[in-house]
Amino acid sequence: MKQIEYYIETLAPIIFAERNNDSTLYNTKKYIAGSIFRGMLAGKFIKDKNLGDEAHKNKDFYNIFLSGKVRFLPAYPIGKTIVDDLEPYILPLSLMKSKDGEEIRDISDGEKIQTGFKKMTGFALKKGNEIYKVNVDTQIEFHMSRNGEKSRILGSNKDGQVFNYEYIEPYQYFKGYIVVDDDLADDVYTYLKKVAEDNIYIGRSRSVQYGKCSLKKLSMNSIVGNGLKNGQKYYLYAYTPYMPNEEWNRVDTLAEHLCEQINEKLSKETVQLKKGKLIYATTEEYSGYVGVWHVRRERKMALSAGSMIEFEIDNIDDNLVKKLNDILYAGLGDRREEGFGQFRLMQPMQNLNLKEFDEDIKSKPEICNEVKKQAKQIIRQRIFEEIKKQAVSDLDEKCRFNAKSKTTLNRIEALVNSNKTKQQIQNEIKEFNKAAKVNLRQMFLDTDDFLEILTEDNNVKLPYSDIEWKAKLGLDDENLYQEMENDLGKDIFVIDEDTLYKEYFLWFIRHAKKLISKKNKEVE
């Protein structure tokens, strides 16, 4: 099996509404569920291939989304920047923190809960014994209810019904994995790279500008599972929620069935996985919506992510650990293709440290592509303004006219407004008839006539050839230039030669025509 690592950055508010008892407030999940990610990719695949209602008959679609060979695990929050060497996960339910926040303990070794400690919940990033708590920034948006057809048309609700949406704020990162059988790994990875070229849309209210994200920074590696040390307790840690195939109502019964499933897959009479004494667990309900059939799934009980089930086993060795990891990464129970039923081997953690991110990580997050794009457009527009001002200034300060006709200038304006390159425009000007060339030679910038300037004949340099445009922006701090280039790219102050030529002479010619009109009026 292979594991494909992916990151998702939110570029707009994201809503993953989940059920609660408040009819006026819709909370959002704080992570991107595997079912949501899989559904988004499946929908995009169907649209790109124009499969319609026959998608399940397409071999590639079936292999990726229906065969069970690809498991789309959830993307858990990692904060406002990407830190590659930290792994996201839901905090194990065996972790306790002192009320003053100074000490963190893992009681999965059998230690009794002490007074002054409380259970830890939520998301974190982990590296060795260091744990970085992760928070998800959310806001609440007020909405007028418009569920009825008339209400949607009117854009309001006469009954005054309202509700509130909680949403995940933009510019936050989530990291997830896709576990793929070897024979499909390359196909899935290639498709994901193609998807990453465009923005993606997930969650609710996509029609009203919610849900915009980008998929980025993909990598594919072989599975390297957790090892086990003899002499310590062994646990199955629920990396994602686990939804058994059979009915159940007690966690200890579920744990026994789970061990039985693993034993069947091991197929070794000499090795038997047995449920241990300690269990740290909570449960939750899941349903879902099947868009193809327009029906809701049956609501089922699941073991929550972060749950810990102790197990006992004899004759542990590296070969057995590898087989266990293969079984756990393949997934157990129902809806495995949506990322449910992913367990990891875990043992009690010692000497834990709860840490904060360094200030430089907090203050220098990676700039998202959308912000970079907008910043580049703003800088480019500012440079164009300087080019325009320079062209007008050159004419006001250095020009003189003997010609009175604007006909030739109109032809040149049309050329610089076209899709032609600088070289193509200059070649066409050189092919003007004799009268047009005479007209251009009667207009001067200093001692050079317009024909020489436009075509760069007789070694005449372009009027702007010695200008460094970024210096025209009024940013005196060289360090600021350096930071902008580091953040946005080395080319942000560079305008290609064709665009520069056409932009400058567009305003050059337009202002020259105004000056000729003014001169003609003065003669009259």
Side-chain angles (χ1 to χ4, degrees):
M1 281 184 290
K2 294 288 193 304
Q3 182 170 263
I4 300 173
E5 178 182 282
Y6 68 91
Y7 292 86
I8 290 178
E9 181 189 12
T10 60
L11 302 177
I14 310 295
I15 300 172
F16 304 121
E18 56 183 358
R19 187 186 184 197
N20 59 42
N21 296 323
D22 190 340
S23 61
T24 63
L25 175 62
Y26 290 84
N27 295 115
T28 182
K29 289 183 183 296
K30 307 303 189 294
Y31 66 95
I32 301 172
S35 55
I36 291 172
F37 186 52
R38 172 175 173 264
M40 181 279 300
L41 291 175
K44 189 168 179 60
F45 191 99
I46 291 170
K47 184 177 180 181
D48 291 346
K49 303 285 186 180
N50 196 25
L51 299 180
D53 295 335
E54 302 294 315
H56 58 285
K57 297 180 181 179
N58 179 274
K59 180 181 177 182
D60 292 334
F61 182 87
Y62 178 84
N63 285 338
I64 295 175
F65 299 105
L66 301 176
S67 67
K69 292 184 174 184
V70 185
R71 304 102 187 154
F72 296 87
L73 276 57
Y76 290 141
I78 61 172
K80 294 184 179 180
T81 188
I82 292 176
V83 184
D84 290 320
D85 59 347
L86 297 177
E87 288 302 311
Y89 74 145
I90 290 181
L91 286 167
L93 294 177
S94 60
L95 292 189
M96 309 289 290
K97 183 176 68 172
S98 61
K99 290 183 179 179
D100 60 9
E102 295 295 323
E103 189 177 356
I104 178 173
R105 292 183 184 178
D106 183 358
I107 61 172
S108 61
D109 60 357
E111 177 185 353
K112 292 183 179 180
I113 300 175
Q114 297 183 5
T115 57
F117 280 78
K118 59 181 180 179
K119 186 181 295 185
M120 295 182 67
T121 58
F123 303 95
L125 297 172
K126 182 177 179 294
K127 181 181 180 182
N129 290 333
E130 295 179 348
I131 293 177
Y132 298 79
K133 193 77 187 292
V134 176
N135 294 315
V136 181
D137 292 340
T138 61
Q139 291 289 345
I140 294 178
E141 186 77 17
F142 173 85
H143 288 268
M144 181 70 71
S145 178
R146 296 193 295 271
N147 289 332
E149 184 177 346
K150 291 183 179 179
S151 296
R152 287 186 177 276
I153 294 171
L154 291 171
S156 62
N157 188 302
K158 292 183 178 180
D159 297 330
Q161 296 180 12
V162 297
F163 65 95
N164 295 285
Y165 259 144
E166 183 186 33
Y167 64 82
I168 296 171
E169 289 192 310
Y171 310 119
Q172 298 182 77
Y173 288 94
F174 295 78
K175 181 179 180 179
Y177 298 95
I178 300 173
V179 178
V180 194
D181 287 2
D182 288 330
D183 58 329
L184 289 179
D186 290 336
D187 292 340
V188 175
Y189 186 63
T190 299
Y191 179 63
L192 286 173
K193 286 199 295 185
K194 182 180 178 182
V195 172
E197 295 174 1
D198 303 314
N199 289 322
I200 59 177
Y201 293 84
I202 56 178
R204 289 202 176 187
S205 301
R206 294 187 295 273
S207 60
V208 287
Q209 300 179 354
Y210 283 74
K212 184 178 180 181
C213 300
S214 67
L215 177 66
K216 55 179 58 179
K217 212 166 184 181
L218 299 163
S219 63
M220 183 167 67
N221 300 286
S222 297
I223 298 287
V224 180
N226 297 346
L228 291 176
K229 297 178 181 179
N230 286 311
Q232 295 186 27
K233 290 182 179 292
Y234 308 139
Y235 281 89
L236 295 173
Y237 158 74
Y239 183 77
T240 65
Y242 168 58
M243 192 178 297
N245 293 311
E246 66 279 347
E247 293 294 327
W248 64 284
N249 54 18
R250 291 171 56 89
V251 174
D252 56 346
T253 304
L254 176 147
E256 289 177 357
H257 290 165
L258 185 62
C259 291
E260 289 174 4
Q261 281 188 66
I262 296 173
N263 287 331
E264 290 176 6
K265 294 178 182 296
L266 283 173
S267 301
K268 291 181 68 175
E269 294 181 1
T270 57
V271 176
Q272 285 293 310
L273 206 70
K274 298 178 182 178
K275 178 182 76 69
K277 296 179 180 178
L278 299 176
I279 297 176
Y280 306 91
T282 61
T283 62
E284 55 193 299
E285 289 186 333
Y286 279 91
S287 59
Y289 184 79
V290 184
V292 176
W293 298 330
H294 305 291
V295 295
R296 287 198 169 276
R297 291 180 183 269
E298 176 188 2
R299 186 169 290 277
K300 296 184 70 173
M301 188 73 73
L303 184 75
S304 297
S307 296
M308 302 272 287
I309 297 174
E310 184 188 6
F311 68 92
E312 298 172 354
I313 195 166
D314 298 325
N315 304 320
I316 194 80
D317 57 29
D318 291 343
N319 184 50
L320 179 57
V321 170
K322 182 182 183 305
K323 289 182 178 179
L324 281 173
N325 277 313
D326 288 344
I327 292 169
L328 300 181
Y329 275 86
L332 297 162
D334 197 15
R335 295 171 64 175
R336 289 175 297 160
E337 66 280 358
E338 299 173 44
F340 286 88
Q342 288 284 320
F343 286 87
R344 301 292 180 261
L345 299 176
M346 189 172 282
Q347 293 185 289
M349 295 179 284
Q350 299 174 346
N351 302 317
L352 290 173
N353 293 312
L354 188 61
K355 304 194 73 173
E356 294 286 339
F357 285 118
D358 294 335
E359 284 302 317
D360 60 337
I361 293 178
K362 287 182 180 179
S363 60
K364 293 185 178 179
E366 181 179 327
I367 300 174
C368 75
N369 291 334
E370 191 68 21
V371 172
K372 286 182 180 180
K373 180 180 177 181
Q374 292 180 15
K376 287 181 177 181
Q377 288 175 344
I378 291 170
I379 292 171
R380 187 179 180 88
Q381 195 58 45
R382 280 283 292 111
I383 292 176
F384 283 171
E385 287 295 322
E386 293 302 321
I387 292 171
K388 173 183 176 180
K389 288 195 293 185
Q390 188 65 42
V392 172
S393 175
D394 287 343
L395 280 162
D396 283 340
E397 296 175 5
K398 303 176 184 178
C399 76
R400 55 190 175 89
F401 296 100
N402 294 325
K404 298 181 180 180
S405 172
K406 295 185 289 185
T407 304
T408 307
L409 296 181
N410 287 334
R411 291 177 62 186
I412 296 171
E413 183 179 0
L415 286 173
V416 296
N417 261 325
S418 70
N419 293 324
K420 295 178 179 177
T421 65
K422 168 190 169 184
Q423 189 61 57
Q424 289 172 331
I425 293 170
Q426 288 181 328
N427 290 340
E428 288 203 30
I429 293 174
K430 289 176 183 179
E431 296 299 321
F432 279 2
N433 59 34
K434 183 177 180 181
K437 289 181 178 179
V438 168
N439 200 25
L440 289 175
R441 288 195 180 105
Q442 291 180 330
M443 307 176 199
F444 296 89
L445 201 65
D446 286 336
T447 59
D448 302 319
D449 65 55
F450 275 22
L451 183 61
E452 293 173 327
I453 293 169
L454 288 161
T455 58
E456 296 180 89
D457 276 353
N458 301 324
N459 297 318
V460 171
K461 294 170 63 176
L462 292 169
Y464 55 79
S465 58
D466 295 327
I467 296 175
E468 187 176 2
W469 293 107
K470 74 176 184 180
K472 287 276 190 179
L473 299 181
L475 303 175
D476 298 327
D477 189 350
E478 186 61 35
N479 291 331
L480 182 57
Y481 282 126
Q482 189 65 46
E483 287 184 16
M484 292 173 72
E485 288 179 340
N486 290 340
D487 289 339
L488 303 175
K490 296 291 184 181
D491 62 340
I492 58 169
F493 299 110
V494 177
I495 304 296
D496 68 271
E497 188 60 32
D498 287 339
T499 302
L500 179 54
Y501 179 90
K502 292 164 70 174
E503 189 72 17
Y504 178 88
F505 282 110
L506 173 65
W507 298 106
F508 185 95
I509 297 300
R510 284 180 176 177
H511 197 58
K513 287 163 58 179
K514 289 181 181 179
L515 292 176
I516 288 177
S517 297
K518 182 179 178 181
K519 182 179 178 182
N520 289 341
K521 286 183 180 179
E522 290 174 351
V523 171
E524 293 173 1

